[in-house]
Structures are given as C-alpha cells and as structure tokens.
Amino acid sequence: MARKIIVLGEVRDGSLRNVSFEAVAAAKIASEGGEVVGVLIGDSVSALSGELIHYGADRVITVEDEKLKQYTPDGYSQALMAIVDAESPEGLVFGHTSLGKDLAPKVAAKLNSGLISDVTGLEVAGGNLVFTRPIYSGKAFEKKIVTDGLVFATIRPNNISPLEKDESRTGEASSLSVDIKDLRTVIKEVVRKASEGVDLSEAKVIIAGGRGVKSEEGFEPLKELAKVLNGAVGASRGACDADYCDYSLQIGQTGKVVTPDLYIACGISGAIQHLAGMSNSKVIVAINKDPEANIFKVADYGIVGDLFEVVPMLTEEFRKILVNA
Amino acid sequence: MNIYVLMKRTFDTEEKITISGGQINEDGAEFIINPYDEYAIEEAIQVRDAQGGEVTVVSVGNEETEKQLRTALAMGADKAVLINTEDDLDYGDQFTTAKILSEYLKDKDADLIIAGNVAIDGGSGQVGPRVAELLNIPYVTTITKLDIAGSNATVVRDVEGDSEVIETTLPLLVTAQQGLNEPRYPSLPGIMKAKKKPLDELELDDLDLEEADVEAKTKTIEIYLPPKKEAGKVLEGELADQVKELVNLLHTEAKVV
C-alpha cells in the first residue's frame, strides 16, 4: 500500500542531525513506493531542504517563524498540524530523540493515532508493515504492526542506515506560513553540559568509564581517546553516583540507551543495569583489571589490565593508524 | 495543591527474561514500581509537604497492582486509585492507557500531574505527553528540577545531557528524569499507615468508557529474545602487543574504526 509519509527533519546548531537521514530511509520503507515529504521547522531552516532531498525526501515543506527558534511542544505541534492538515499523510516518522520523544506523543494524541516508539528496524512482511523495537531495556524485542489509523513511528538513532547521499536528486521545496501562538512553555535558558564534542545518543564510538576511573580527573584519558576516535564519553551509574562525572553521561537502565558501532568499557564491572543500556552496541570492548568482571561476558574483545595503562596506549595506536589512513 | 501521580507496575528488568508461549514469562518474577515513577511519587510528596494539599497515585493495571499502590501510599501518598482493566481488555497500547487516564483525570481539577518519563518494560515514554494533550494542559518531559510559586512553575528539563530552564504555569504535567530527587524507602510507620489509606478500584464502566473507545491502535505480533552473543575474545600476551592486536582487530576485522 503506497503511503504519503511525513518525516520531521531535526536541526541542531544549524545542521540536520544524522537521525533525520535515517528517518528519511525509514519513511521510504514505510511509504511502500509512495511519497516521502520532509518537514523542517525552525526560525531559519529552508537552506537545509536540499540536503534532506539529497538523502531521499521527495520534497520538503518548511515552516519558519521567530517563535520556532527553539523547540517547544506547542510551537512545533502547531506547525506540524498545519502541515498534516494540508497534506493528509498516511504516516509520520520522527527521530527517537529528546525532541521526537517529547513531540510525537502529543501529535499522536491530537491525531487520535497510535505511535510505535523507539523503532530499531522496519520491513514489509506478509503484507504488513512490521516494526521492531527493544523492550525490557533491550533484553527482548517485539514486532509491532499498526491496526488502526496512521502509521506513526519514532526511530532510534544509529539503527536504520540512511540512504546514500545523492546530490543530483531534486525535489520541490515549499514553505507554509503558520500563525504560531499561545506557547505555554517558555525556554528561559539553555545550560550546555554534554554537548562538548559528539552527542552520546548519536555517537558512532563511545568510551565509557566506571568506578575503575576513580576520579573526575580519571576521565581525562577516556576523553583523549574519544577525541581521537571522534566519539563521545559515557559512564556507568557507579561513576555518576561517585560524582566522577555528570548524570547526563549515564548509560544504563536509568540513563541513556545507546547502540554505537564501537563501545569501549573502561573500568566498568558490567552490572546488569549498565548492560541494559549498551549491550546492543555493534562491537563491545572491555578493559578491566578483574578478569572475572561481568563485562567480559558481553564483550567482543577484552583486555585484562589497568585502564590507566591501556587507554593511553590505545589512544597512541589509534592515532598512528588514523594518521596513516 | 491537588497532585496526581501516574504510576505503572513493571517487571523488574534486572530479572532474567525468558519467553513462554510467545509472551514474557512472568512466573515468579519480581514486580516493582517503575523506577522513574518512584521519582514522580517522591517529587509529589515533596511538593505537597512544601505547599500543602494531597497526593493521589493512579495506575491502570490489574489486581496485582494493589501491591505497588500500597508501597506508594507507604512512601507518603495520601490516596491511591487502581483502574482495573483486567476483565475488560485483552490488549492495550499507549493510546489505550492515556485515554483511560485522561478520562479519569478530566474532572479532577489537578494542579500538578507527575509521571515517570518512561517505563522500563515497554519503554515507549508516550503516556505522560498524551495525557497532557488530552487534558489540554502544558507539559514538560524528563525534568530534573521543579519549583512552584503560586500558579507559576520553573522547571529544569534534561535534553540529551543539556539543561533547559523552562517557565510555565499550572495546571501542568511533568515527567520525571533520573536526578530529580532521591526516592525515599517506605518507613515502618509509613507501611502501617498505608494499610488504612484509601485505595479505590475502578473499571472502565465507572469512567463511562466502552472497550471500543480505548481499543489499541497497534498490536504486538511477536516477542523474541536477542540472539545470544558468542563469548568474546580476551586477548593475551604483553600488554603493548594486546593493544596493537586490539586496534588491528577493530580496524581490519570489525571495521568499526
């Protein structure tokens, strides 16, 4: 069944987030040969329309307004509902990001629609559009279908491959003027904590530290390694509880769930709550002094040793091969 | 201050997960208050203690959910309400739960509704914002701080590690993120008192809802466990050689760097 699917492109610091290209790819599958309409919302976003088309959107609609400079559920839902009213799509796809998680349920409630959140895969099988998503903190998976109404999903970053960028692709870019009003939540201030470098939820490489890091300064070698690999630094609950780092870095059952290509666990014992947040990473490396540590059971590669010795050596070795590459 | 908490009874995901008959096997498993809802209950109690008023904890569930509601009462909530859907519904999704909760809440004049930002079993994180939308009140998700002054609220929201300071007004729905507070354990006197606190039980009928009004929009067709991971390779030899080998493996074999 061919569908028209709306994809919300997410702009951060003036660029489209990677997850938006993944969302376009997901929408392409969900459209079953129909149309993928990209949507960009913000104060100045229309310059990014072309890029969304290069990644597979058939056309792009932008809503620009000074009041949309920052995300608010009221502002964004007004813009999006105006587009839904104009386009009557059969489905919507957002990223399962902070913004997508906040906005999608509101829009689903407005549309009296179902919503399949945190999708890691989708396919057409047996005449149905089947969504796969992790449940029980990634210890199990479920396959879901829509039984009534719109096909609406948020997709987890780093799981669905984006389409290859094709700069020769063209499509119509139009704008819609929407009267944005009555915003009931107002952002007074944004305190940047995590955004030095790469965002944890979208990072391809994560270097995570546990209690074995021993202090705030102990994270320094991890940060060095992350810098060389263009990755992000994460932490176990133990490290956060001990005040070695901010809770915003926590990965686990409480905290963030991540699925990078490479996860390097340094001085992390591998408590089950931590594994819940990272065990679906593509490749896991464990570095721990204790050969009996639980983390070795989920690791693809392990080094038994002191992280303060191993991590700087790793940084040096990676530096060498990456310089040569 | 009229405060409501939305609570879910969840499977403790620290438990080993097995599947029987296409379902997660619940036999003998430990059930708990969803950990993010514990933050919500704690915050509600703290707001009430500072501002006066009453905390009512509401859950859509089955008879077993009474146990977690009693625990919430033992922590210090004043009242509990169980909306028991056991006899009426075979299957519900987030549309279902949000519809039921909003029907319950629509005439309660809640000043503040607090929920967890996500449940650790289903992990969809939809119910809070859906309920706010159905009640037509503002919401802020994943909050780490809440200050209320009169009918104004200042909220700190966790946005992928950054913090937004948000100003809004009551009535308001917020969802709790880790770091909001340290949930208390029920005290022994708290547990004794909880036995006498009101715990009402409602069914869909009591909310003038028909099954068709809350029928799920989505359906789970399969539940399965992830493929078992093969044991990894613990490297051996001189540390410097191990490091070289690891970098080589990641670069040429796993091709992730």
Side-chain angles (χ1 to χ4, degrees), chain A residues 18-323:
Chain A
N18 225 359
V19 67
S20 301
F21 307 134
E22 298 165 0
V24 170
K28 204 90 182 169
I29 299 169
S31 75
E32 295 190 52
E35 193 182 23
V36 175
V37 182
V39 167
L40 294 171
I41 297 172
D43 66 331
S44 167
V45 290
S46 50
L48 299 167
S49 304
E51 198 178 4
L52 213 49
I53 289 167
H54 295 159
Y55 274 97
D58 295 307
R59 58 190 169 93
V60 173
I61 304 171
T62 54
V63 181
E64 294 185 316
D65 192 300
E66 188 55 36
K67 295 194 193 81
L68 298 171
K69 183 169 183 162
Q70 284 171 308
Y71 165 76
T72 59
D74 286 337
Y76 267 53
S77 62
Q78 287 168 28
L80 203 79
M81 287 304 291
I83 292 173
V84 169
D85 286 345
E87 294 285 333
S88 308
E90 278 90 26
L92 299 100
V93 178
F94 299 178
H96 195 67
T97 58
S98 194
L99 188 158
K101 285 186 242 185
D102 194 73
L103 179 65
K106 179 181 176 79
V107 173
K110 275 187 186 293
L111 295 168
N112 219 20
S113 156
L115 169 63
I116 302 181
S117 306
D118 201 13
V119 166
T120 55
L122 73 164
E123 56 177 348
V124 180
N128 274 320
L129 187 57
V130 180
F131 295 86
T132 302
R133 59 186 302 275
I135 51 174
Y136 296 83
S137 306
K139 286 177 154 189
F141 286 84
E142 66 174 349
K143 288 188 189 276
K144 285 195 97 167
I145 57 170
V146 175
T147 48
D148 181 26
L150 291 170
V151 168
F152 194 172
T154 58
I155 62 151
R156 181 185 286 198
N158 274 351
N159 281 270
I160 294 159
S161 302
L163 302 170
E164 195 136 336
K165 186 174 183 179
D166 176 1
E167 297 196 15
S168 69
R169 267 183 67 93
T170 55
E172 181 201 352
S174 59
S175 67
L176 190 69
S177 161
V178 182
D179 183 19
I180 304 295
K181 57 189 177 190
D182 304 329
L183 303 184
R184 294 172 296 180
T185 57
V186 179
I187 300 172
K188 285 288 165 190
E189 193 190 344
V190 180
V191 184
R192 291 262 168 149
K193 286 194 282 190
S195 320
E196 293 170 34
V198 184
D199 177 45
L200 201 50
S201 61
E202 281 195 292
K204 297 282 183 202
V205 177
I206 292 176
I207 319 296
R211 280 197 183 273
V213 168
K214 288 184 186 152
S215 67
E216 201 179 332
E217 297 72 45
F219 267 97
E220 288 306 323
L222 277 60
K223 286 182 188 163
E224 276 297 305
L225 178 54
K227 208 185 280 171
V228 169
L229 295 175
N230 194 28
V233 172
S236 71
R237 179 168 194 161
C240 298
D241 282 348
D243 255 344
Y244 302 162
C245 63
D246 193 84
Y247 275 108
S248 61
L249 299 187
Q250 186 179 326
I251 292 163
Q253 180 168 295
T254 43
K256 292 193 171 63
V257 177
V258 295
T259 43
D261 291 343
L262 174 60
Y263 190 93
I264 304 183
C266 310
I268 292 177
S269 61
I272 200 143
Q273 297 91 330
H274 184 72
L275 302 186
M278 47 63 78
S279 60
N280 291 318
S281 302
K282 287 185 194 89
V283 174
I284 297 169
V285 173
I287 299 164
N288 204 299
K289 274 201 276 197
D290 174 10
E292 302 300 319
N294 215 22
I295 191 79
F296 286 113
K297 288 184 191 149
V298 299
D300 299 277
Y301 307 109
I303 290 183
V304 178
D306 181 353
L307 74 94
F308 293 107
E309 260 183 88
V310 176
V311 173
M313 289 164 81
L314 265 180
T315 308
E316 269 321 298
E317 280 303 312
F318 278 123
R319 212 172 251 147
K320 278 187 215 162
I321 64 153
L322 293 173
V323 163

Side-chain angles (χ1 to χ4, degrees), chain B residues 98-146:
Chain B
K99 180 89 182 169
I100 293 170
L101 286 169
S102 63
E103 279 303 308
Y104 169 78
L105 287 163
K106 69 178 184 189
D107 56 3
K108 297 292 182 291
D109 288 321
D111 300 299
L112 180 65
I113 303 171
I114 315 182
N117 86 77
V118 69
I120 58 170
D121 52 0
S124 75
Q126 294 182 24
V127 170
R130 274 184 183 267
V131 167
E133 174 59 29
L134 293 171
L135 296 173
N136 195 22
I137 62 172
Y139 65 87
V140 183
T141 56
T142 58
I143 72 160
T144 56
K145 196 167 188 287
L146 173 64

Side-chain angles (χ1 to χ4, degrees), chain B residues 229-256:
Chain B
K229 243 189 142 146
E230 281 176 43
K233 184 171 180 180
V234 175
L235 307 180
E236 286 171 358
E238 290 292 317
L239 206 50
D241 295 334
Q242 287 188 37
V243 168
K244 280 203 176 75
E245 188 185 351
L246 176 62
V247 169
N248 192 37
L249 285 166
L250 293 174
H251 192 52
T252 56
E253 190 181 277
K255 293 195 170 64
V256 286

